[in-house]
Amino acid sequence: MSEAAYQRLWDSSHLILEELLDQEPLLGEAVSERERQSFQYRLSSLYLYYLGLLRRFDTLYDQMVQPQKRRLLRRLLDSVACRVLELKDDLVRADLCETHCLDQVLQDLKLTPADLEVPIPKYFELERSSILKEREHVLTELLSRLKPEISEGSFPILSRTEAIMLLQKAERARQGRLRATFMREIRKEEERDRKIWEEGRFKFSQDEAAITIQKVWKGYLQRKRTQQDRRTEMEFIGMLPSASPAEPRGTWSQASLGADVRRLRQAEKEEEFQLAVVKARDHLREVEGPDMKEKMKEQIRQWFIECHALTGRFPDYPDESLGGSSLIFADKTPEQVRMELEVQVQENKKKEQEKSKEKEKEEKEKKKKGEKTKKGEADMMLRALPSKSIPAINAGHKEYMNLWKNRFDSLFPSQSFDSETLKMEERKEVEQEIRIQVDDLMRQELKNLRLAVDREETRPVKLPKKKAGKKPGKKKKEKDLTPDRPMDSLFEELVVLGLLKKSETVPLKDYIGDCLYLGSALNLANKLPMPSLADIRQNMALYGILRLGSPDIHAMAPLIRSILLVGPSGMGKKMLVKAVCTETGANFFDLSPENLQGKYPGKTGGQMLVHVVFKVARYLQPSVIWIGNAEKTFYKRVPKEEEEMDPKRIKKDLTKALRLLSPGDRVMLIGTTDRPQVAEMKGLCRTYERILLLPRPDYASRYVLWRHMIEAQGVQGTQHLDISALAKVSDGYTAGCILQAIQAVLTERRLLQLSKRPLLTSEFLGPLAKLDPVYREEEESLKDWYFKTPLGKKRMKLLKDQDAAEEAKLAKEKKKK
């Protein structure tokens, strides 16, 4: 795509954004419980539109070359990502569920299931590539020191003669096996020739033999043509994979090469822009700086004179924390100053009157009998929470409309920067620098004027008083238990102890699974739809990757400190944790109870362990702290065989450390468990803010898993391999079981035989039958546990209320009839 095409994409994106901003005020209006479905529908449609915008802005920021446009696009990209997270939070509160059935909304908006995928901004990986390489180099160096050298006694020592004799034996055995195979084939061929001779080889005449050969050959050709036509038809309707995927791959590689070239141009233009910024700032300081300074001084002196003439005394100079002289740079007349002072006095009086009236109203309302019912009705009202990202989106949209909407590519033929816009931006910064210098000079001048004219000393500036009311809870500062130790030594200590590990590279797209296509239909039938693997993948992208990937997104988005993944073994819980680390470049800390055994012993060892891990995690953010078998940390009763391990020793310190995490601390705790029933419900739900249930895969996900995993081994689908039958037969098996069955069948030897012996469906049944599926009792126990969590209880209560309302409606209709 050319720069003009990206500009058109940007223009169309802002048209959509303008429509969405017009719809935003409607979400702030309170909605009754009866309109819950329409409220959910509005939230869902906005959520999908913002996901599309996030995808567009990610493409634009990744491929646009002009540096000033890219700065605006970055702000818009982060703001839209934050808005997506806010809408997701509103959807959870409205739906009382972590996953949502958006198939009906997709159909109404004429979108595809691919539009549900959460795009991960490419700059998460590209902008941190150098830092990740350095960290990987340091980790490999530390781990190489720790690797024990291979002991000489681990392998038997052979002399040269013994080694040669061993190789000779192996080679002779190999040659013997080959000779035996060759002789077997010769004997079979001789036996075949003998049988043909005995049955009568020459019983056909020459013409009859030619006709027979023609029949066989024509039949063979026709069958081959029919098979080819059928395969072409099946490929056309999408029932079989394409036999020649070489052309799309070549096109794709060419497109990716073009994208890489544009990224190189981005780096060149960014260097030019940085040099131009330095030059422009120096030029403004030298040329316009003195005039700015004198103009500011004159304006402030004029303000002194006008205020003295109006009030009879010189004013207090604004404090630097309040903005300094920027408050008086609006060219106000003395009458405007006086009016502002009077308005402020009137506003203060009004506020006091309103407070007294509110107190009287509250006292009257408390005396009324229907206070409880009114509170209950107010609680049942639905509305979206105030957004932190909408002001930033509005500001970015206005900047686009003012600066870039009517600009054409002819103004920037080489995609360089706009010098006039650059001067405007740098002029503001230079003015700010000069203003601070002028403030220091004018404060001293005001002091001298007071001594000379009014003969009074400088009065202290009164800062505005804080509003009376409830004092916000002060954030407790964590005591630093290691103040004397440098961060490098703590980092090395965690690596040596195995608490900070090198995470495997697992992209999130490798977590294969399809979405739920009949969620809305199940809801209408009063059946509770379970989340699909695609829902889990999207939730991990929203809760983990988008928040940890950018400090700006993390600071604005609703704060989530911890996630718990609950599901049977083999569902890919640890794979999701590794995917979060891979996509965000996060450090991987392992606080599993098995990994903590024997580390930091003693009474205060647990406290020191948690403190050091969280201290290093904050310093090296983004960071992921993983706890495998998370139920062991919150055991109801510790088993005897695990008492020595003491799995509960970090329980209290872990919850305290999590509370100290604030917006901007890109540290996330992710726990995984397959037996949450043995843990204390309160402690587990207090520690983990989001609980995601991973049920066994449905038919659509199993079909995608079988097809993708078989193709990953280099095997193309054929008519002999029925993927649909495999997906049906493997009901109840997890993705891990399916992978084990495929690996057991598709060995190196079997892959070499594919050209002679095609792959059959029945070959996978034996290995699959040897594995244990997820039994219905195990799945039901996990569901029952999930519906005892706070969000699960609310969901069940909502379903019961809806059923009761439907029954009441039916009863009324029967009475009318």
Side-chain angles (χ1 to χ4, degrees):
M1 288 174 68
S2 63
E3 194 73 18
Y6 286 116
Q7 184 64 41
R8 288 194 296 272
L9 180 62
W10 197 10
D11 296 340
S12 62
S13 301
H14 275 275
L15 290 175
I16 299 170
L17 184 60
E18 193 169 358
E19 293 177 4
L20 294 180
L21 290 173
D22 293 338
Q23 297 176 24
E24 285 289 350
L26 299 175
L27 288 180
E29 298 175 1
V31 175
S32 64
E33 182 67 25
R34 296 175 185 175
E35 299 177 12
R36 180 182 284 271
Q37 287 187 354
S38 62
F39 182 68
Q40 289 174 357
Y41 189 89
R42 275 185 287 161
L43 281 176
S44 303
S45 57
L46 273 178
Y47 171 74
L48 290 174
Y49 277 130
Y50 273 110
L51 268 183
L53 276 179
L54 180 60
R55 199 173 289 109
R56 284 167 169 244
F57 283 136
D58 178 36
T59 305
L60 289 168
Y61 180 70
D62 182 53
Q63 292 299 305
M64 268 200 168
V65 178
Q66 217 268 4
Q68 291 163 309
K69 290 181 182 179
R70 294 188 76 244
R71 277 162 172 73
L72 175 57
L73 280 168
R74 174 63 178 272
R75 294 199 299 273
L76 283 168
L77 175 60
D78 289 346
S79 304
V80 169
C82 179
R83 186 58 186 149
V84 168
L85 297 178
E86 290 172 345
L87 288 171
K88 171 66 177 177
D89 196 49
D90 291 332
L91 270 173
V92 170
R93 288 188 306 102
D95 226 357
L96 298 178
C97 186
E98 297 290 353
T99 55
H100 320 288
C101 302
L102 303 178
D103 48 320
Q104 187 61 46
V105 187
L106 281 175
Q107 188 176 353
D108 294 344
L109 299 179
K110 298 180 181 179
L111 300 174
T112 64
D115 295 314
L116 278 173
E117 290 298 324
V118 179
I120 299 168
K122 298 176 187 66
Y123 77 84
F124 284 4
E125 183 182 358
L126 294 173
E127 293 186 1
R128 285 179 54 83
S129 57
S130 59
I131 299 170
L132 292 175
K133 285 178 183 177
E134 289 177 9
R135 191 182 69 197
E136 189 176 354
H137 180 66
V138 172
L139 271 174
T140 47
E141 278 188 358
L142 289 172
L143 292 171
S144 61
R145 292 182 209 163
L146 299 174
K147 282 184 181 178
E149 295 181 2
I150 298 170
S151 58
E152 294 180 357
S154 59
F155 295 103
I157 300 172
L158 298 176
S159 64
R160 187 175 181 180
T161 307
E162 289 174 340
I164 291 170
M165 289 175 67
L166 186 64
L167 289 172
Q168 285 176 346
K169 284 180 184 179
E171 179 61 23
R172 285 168 185 164
R174 187 186 68 82
Q175 290 179 3
R177 286 192 295 272
L178 287 174
R179 194 180 300 111
T181 306
F182 180 65
M183 293 304 296
R184 195 182 302 117
E185 289 177 358
I186 290 174
R187 282 195 296 271
K188 284 181 180 178
E189 191 175 349
E190 288 177 353
E191 185 69 21
R192 189 168 55 252
D193 292 343
R194 186 180 61 78
K195 285 182 180 180
I196 290 170
W197 184 264
E198 288 176 357
E199 290 173 0
R201 188 174 179 182
F202 303 103
K203 62 182 180 181
F204 294 115
S205 67
Q206 192 173 1
D207 293 339
E208 289 173 344
I211 291 168
T212 305
I213 291 170
Q214 284 177 355
K215 283 181 182 178
V216 172
W217 178 246
K218 286 178 180 178
Y220 168 75
L221 285 178
Q222 187 58 42
R223 283 192 298 275
K224 196 169 183 181
R225 287 195 203 101
T226 306
Q227 286 179 0
Q228 185 62 34
D229 292 343
R230 179 169 177 77
R231 181 170 183 86
T232 306
E233 182 184 357
M234 297 295 280
E235 287 178 4
F236 178 72
I237 63 177
M239 296 299 291
L240 282 177
S242 178
S244 57
E247 290 180 6
R249 283 182 186 173
T251 309
W252 179 260
S253 61
Q254 189 175 358
S256 62
L257 182 63
D260 292 338
V261 170
R262 293 184 72 87
R263 291 191 191 107
L264 290 173
R265 287 185 63 202
Q266 284 174 6
E268 293 173 3
K269 298 299 177 184
E270 184 63 29
E271 288 180 7
E272 291 178 11
F273 182 71
Q274 292 296 339
L275 291 172
V277 166
V278 175
K279 288 180 182 177
R281 194 173 293 173
D282 293 342
H283 178 75
L284 287 170
R285 282 198 196 106
E286 292 174 4
V287 177
E288 298 184 16
D291 293 338
M292 286 182 190
K293 203 169 189 178
E294 291 301 322
K295 188 178 178 181
M296 288 180 189
K297 286 181 179 180
E298 288 174 8
Q299 194 172 4
I300 294 170
R301 288 191 187 107
Q302 183 65 25
W303 181 63
F304 290 165
I305 295 166
E306 290 174 356
C307 286
H308 190 275
L310 183 67
T311 60
R313 61 185 179 83
F314 290 106
D316 295 328
Y317 205 90
D319 191 71
E320 191 61 40
S321 60
L322 301 174
S325 58
S326 60
L327 298 175
I328 57 175
F329 280 170
D331 295 327
K332 294 177 183 177
T333 63
E335 293 178 358
Q336 288 175 338
V337 174
R338 186 178 63 188
M339 289 295 291
E340 283 184 1
L341 293 171
E342 290 176 359
V343 168
Q344 285 179 1
V345 172
Q346 289 176 3
E347 284 180 357
N348 291 332
K349 287 181 181 179
K350 283 181 182 179
K351 285 179 182 179
E352 289 176 0
Q353 290 175 0
E354 286 175 1
K355 284 180 182 178
S356 60
K357 286 180 182 179
E358 284 177 2
K359 286 180 181 178
E360 290 175 2
K361 283 182 182 179
E362 286 177 2
E363 290 175 0
K364 287 178 182 179
E365 284 177 359
K366 285 179 182 178
K367 292 177 183 178
K368 289 181 181 179
K369 294 179 181 179
E371 182 187 2
K372 291 183 181 178
T373 56
K374 286 181 181 178
K375 282 186 180 179
E377 288 175 5
D379 291 339
M380 296 302 287
M381 299 296 280
L382 297 171
R383 71 173 70 193
L385 293 176
S387 172
K388 292 182 181 177
S389 59
I390 290 296
I393 295 174
N394 269 318
H397 180 61
K398 286 178 183 175
E399 185 177 343
Y400 163 79
M401 298 294 285
N402 295 332
L403 286 178
W404 305 109
K405 184 180 179 182
N406 298 320
R407 299 283 182 98
F408 300 101
D409 292 336
S410 57
L411 295 174
F412 311 107
S414 61
Q415 297 308 319
S416 58
F417 56 90
D418 180 12
S419 57
E420 293 300 322
T421 309
L422 174 61
K423 283 181 181 178
M424 286 171 60
E425 292 173 356
E426 292 305 314
R427 189 176 282 113
K428 292 176 184 177
E429 294 188 7
V430 171
E431 281 180 2
Q432 184 69 13
E433 292 176 7
I434 293 173
R435 183 191 65 76
I436 295 170
Q437 299 172 8
V438 169
D439 283 353
D440 294 336
L441 294 171
M442 298 311 292
R443 282 193 185 93
Q444 186 63 36
E445 188 171 328
L446 178 61
K447 185 179 178 182
N448 297 335
L449 280 171
R450 278 179 176 162
L451 288 171
V453 179
D454 296 340
R455 302 201 176 196
E456 61 177 44
E457 295 181 358
T458 309
R459 298 186 299 274
V461 178
K462 292 182 180 179
L463 295 173
K465 294 181 180 178
K466 292 182 180 179
K467 293 180 181 179
K470 291 183 180 179
K471 294 181 180 178
K474 292 182 180 178
K475 187 180 175 181
K476 294 181 181 177
K477 290 185 179 179
E478 185 182 8
K479 291 182 181 178
D480 193 357
L481 303 178
T482 55
D484 301 330
R485 295 190 59 184
M487 194 58 66
D488 294 339
S489 68
L490 294 175
F491 177 81
E492 188 172 351
E493 182 180 312
L494 292 179
V495 174
V496 169
L497 292 174
L499 298 174
L500 176 56
K501 296 181 177 179
K502 185 179 178 181
S503 177
E504 297 176 20
T505 304
V506 181
L508 187 66
K509 65 180 180 181
D510 285 357
Y511 190 80
I512 305 298
D514 208 351
C515 63
L516 187 63
Y517 292 98
L518 298 174
S520 301
L522 291 172
N523 278 330
L524 290 173
N526 290 330
K527 291 183 180 179
L528 192 65
M530 297 307 294
S532 64
L533 298 187
D535 294 329
I536 302 300
R537 182 175 66 243
Q538 290 158 19
N539 278 338
M540 287 306 293
L542 290 167
Y543 292 152
I545 295 172
L546 281 185
R547 283 176 164 84
L548 292 179
S550 168
D552 298 326
I553 296 174
H554 194 279
M556 286 193 293
L559 182 61
I560 292 179
R561 302 180 183 93
S562 52
I563 305 171
L564 180 66
L565 302 176
V566 180
S569 58
M571 283 301 300
K573 298 184 289 295
K574 191 174 179 182
M575 179 183 179
L576 287 170
V577 179
K578 292 175 181 175
V580 173
C581 294
T582 301
E583 299 290 353
T584 60
N587 295 282
F588 181 67
F589 296 85
D590 185 1
L591 289 187
S592 304
E594 294 83 0
N595 194 38
L596 299 182
Q597 190 172 3
K599 296 167 185 176
Y600 289 95
K603 291 183 179 180
T604 59
Q607 184 183 1
M608 178 63 75
L609 166 66
V610 173
H611 168 76
V612 171
V613 167
F614 274 82
K615 183 178 179 180
V616 176
R618 276 200 198 94
Y619 182 77
L620 299 175
Q621 56 183 291
S623 299
V624 170
I625 300 171
W626 174 62
I627 299 182
N629 297 325
E631 77 280 356
K632 293 184 178 181
T633 311
F634 300 92
Y635 263 143
K636 293 176 184 175
R637 188 175 179 182
V638 181
K640 289 183 179 179
E641 59 270 15
E642 295 183 11
E643 285 180 355
E644 292 182 5
M645 187 168 62
D646 193 13
K648 297 175 69 173
R649 67 186 181 119
I650 65 166
K651 176 182 171 182
K652 293 181 180 177
D653 299 306
L654 186 65
T655 52
K656 288 178 184 176
L658 278 174
R659 286 174 194 166
L660 293 170
L661 294 177
S662 58
D665 294 333
R666 290 185 293 154
V667 178
M668 183 164 285
L669 174 70
I670 304 179
T672 57
T673 177
D674 55 356
R675 295 186 306 137
Q677 303 92 337
V678 299
E680 296 174 3
M681 179 65 78
K682 282 186 179 179
L684 206 62
C685 294
R686 280 178 189 169
T687 304
Y688 295 99
E689 298 173 358
R690 289 285 187 269
I691 299 175
L692 302 180
L693 179 64
L694 282 69
R696 56 186 184 176
D698 55 359
Y699 172 80
S701 294
R702 292 195 303 274
Y703 183 88
V704 175
L705 281 166
W706 277 106
R707 189 182 65 190
H708 178 81
M709 290 179 178
I710 289 173
E711 288 177 357
Q713 300 290 332
V715 181
Q716 290 295 325
T718 61
Q719 293 180 351
H720 304 282
L721 186 63
D722 192 350
I723 302 289
S724 180
L726 286 173
K728 190 71 178 173
V729 168
S730 57
D731 186 13
Y733 288 92
T734 62
C737 295
I738 293 171
L739 180 61
Q740 287 180 37
I742 290 171
Q743 288 175 346
V745 173
L746 295 177
T747 57
E748 290 184 11
R749 184 179 179 184
R750 184 67 184 89
L751 290 172
L752 293 172
Q753 296 172 350
L754 287 175
S755 57
K756 297 179 180 178
R757 187 160 62 93
L759 194 64
L760 301 175
T761 309
S762 57
E763 294 183 49
F764 294 97
L765 301 181
L768 194 64
K770 294 176 184 178
L771 302 171
D772 292 328
V774 179
Y775 295 103
R776 191 168 296 279
E777 294 80 10
E778 182 182 354
E779 190 177 19
E780 289 298 325
S781 68
L782 286 173
K783 286 182 188 176
D784 294 340
W785 177 86
Y786 179 74
F787 289 122
K788 291 176 185 175
T789 60
L791 190 64
K793 285 179 181 177
K794 290 178 183 178
R795 176 71 175 172
M796 294 305 291
K797 186 183 176 183
L798 175 66
L799 293 174
K800 286 178 182 177
D801 292 344
Q802 288 176 351
D803 292 340
E806 287 181 6
E807 288 176 3
K809 273 187 181 180
L810 292 172
K812 283 183 181 180
E813 288 176 1
K814 284 181 181 179
K815 284 182 181 179
K816 286 179 182 179
K817 288 179 182 179

